[in-house]
Amino acid sequence: DVRGARRVRGDAPRVGARACPAPASNRDLIVVHGKKKGGFAAEMMGGGDENAATTKKAGASKGTAPHADEVCPCGGYPTPGLPYARCCKPYHKGDAYPGDCVTLMRSRFSGYAKGEGEYIVKTTHPENPIFKDGSKAESGKVVSSLADDVKMTCKKVRFYGLEIVQDKGKGDDEHYVGFKYKCRVVGQKGFKELAEESHSELSTFRRGDDGRWLFLDGVTGAVE
């Protein structure tokens, strides 16, 4: 996850190996009222935003979580339906790095779905506030808890239905990706899977010192 409404600190990631072409459509950004925040899934890790755009659909049917050898959580890219092993897994395991922001966004989404906390940290820009969050060690140094937070979120939330709706650059070192996704809270003892929720976000990506794209911040409800 500037913020057509307000700049946020956002889903902070997200390079270099396989360079997948970004979608051809570069529609103008449609920015509505969003609020500063940590970006994608931040509210599910304790950084909720009461003004985030969320739509709950009561009674939605329960889906099936994807398996590692089935369709990638991001939906498959650039070929729809591509298996996880041949889509985002190489990025998560360090065998490749996304060469464009859309691929990076999709790999981060899959990273949340798969609980790949280290990958989320690796692809987050150091200037992202959430990246700096954590508890202080005895030395007084702040140790980020982002990786552990992602792993915990994966156990409680099922992410799916990713749709990239905006893809636009701003100069050579900053890029915006707008997307929508769905999720359900699961796995809580004594409770059934909750109603489906629909979210949207405008994520900002910025190049790091080595030239790779990283997730800077994101604003929920900032795209239509």
Side-chain angles (χ1 to χ4, degrees):
D1 309 351
V2 227
R3 298 23 344 270
R6 297 181 259 183
R7 182 144 206 135
V8 344
R9 317 138 63 167
D11 160 45
R14 289 134 191 336
V15 224
R18 186 185 77 179
C20 299
S25 69
N26 280 342
R27 288 172 284 178
D28 291 336
L29 296 177
I30 303 174
V31 183
V32 295
H33 295 293
K35 186 175 182 179
K36 268 192 175 182
K37 64 181 294 291
F40 169 59
E43 64 273 21
M44 295 163 195
M45 297 191 294
D49 177 357
E50 68 277 9
N51 291 337
T54 301
T55 303
K56 294 188 177 181
K57 299 180 180 179
S61 60
K62 181 176 181 179
T64 302
H67 192 275
D69 59 355
E70 295 179 351
V71 177
C72 185
C74 82
Y77 186 74
T79 305
L82 200 63
Y84 173 63
R86 293 193 289 118
C87 190
C88 291
K89 185 175 182 179
Y91 301 135
H92 297 165
K93 302 309 176 184
D95 298 326
Y97 194 96
D100 63 80
C101 295
V102 169
T103 304
L104 181 55
M105 172 61 245
R106 301 184 77 100
S107 67
R108 282 178 60 86
F109 181 85
S110 293
Y112 276 99
K114 291 290 186 179
E116 294 288 344
E118 286 75 14
Y119 181 73
I120 299 302
V121 170
K122 173 184 176 181
T123 55
T124 297
H125 199 284
E127 292 183 13
N128 179 292
I130 286 186
F131 180 77
K132 300 176 181 179
D133 287 349
S135 55
K136 285 191 175 182
E138 291 185 8
S139 63
K141 182 179 180 180
V142 175
V143 179
S144 176
S145 60
L146 178 57
D148 290 335
D149 291 341
V150 170
K151 293 176 183 177
M152 288 299 294
T153 300
C154 173
K155 296 178 181 179
K156 299 185 295 182
V157 184
R158 180 166 63 87
F159 298 100
Y160 58 98
L162 176 65
E163 178 187 1
I164 304 297
V165 296
Q166 312 220 341
D167 171 29
K168 190 176 183 68
K170 180 184 178 183
D172 298 328
D173 300 320
E174 197 160 279
H175 201 96
Y176 305 137
V177 176
F179 63 97
K180 299 178 180 180
Y181 68 96
K182 298 177 181 180
C183 66
R184 287 174 179 270
V185 175
V186 299
Q188 295 184 356
K189 273 191 175 181
F191 295 90
K192 294 182 179 179
E193 187 176 82
L194 300 185
E196 176 179 282
E197 296 183 11
S198 296
H199 297 264
S200 69
E201 179 177 319
L202 178 63
S203 292
T204 299
F205 296 86
R206 181 177 294 171
R207 291 188 186 278
D209 293 338
D210 60 359
R212 292 183 173 186
W213 287 107
L214 297 170
F215 172 78
L216 178 63
D217 56 33
V219 181
T220 56
V223 294
E224 295 181 338

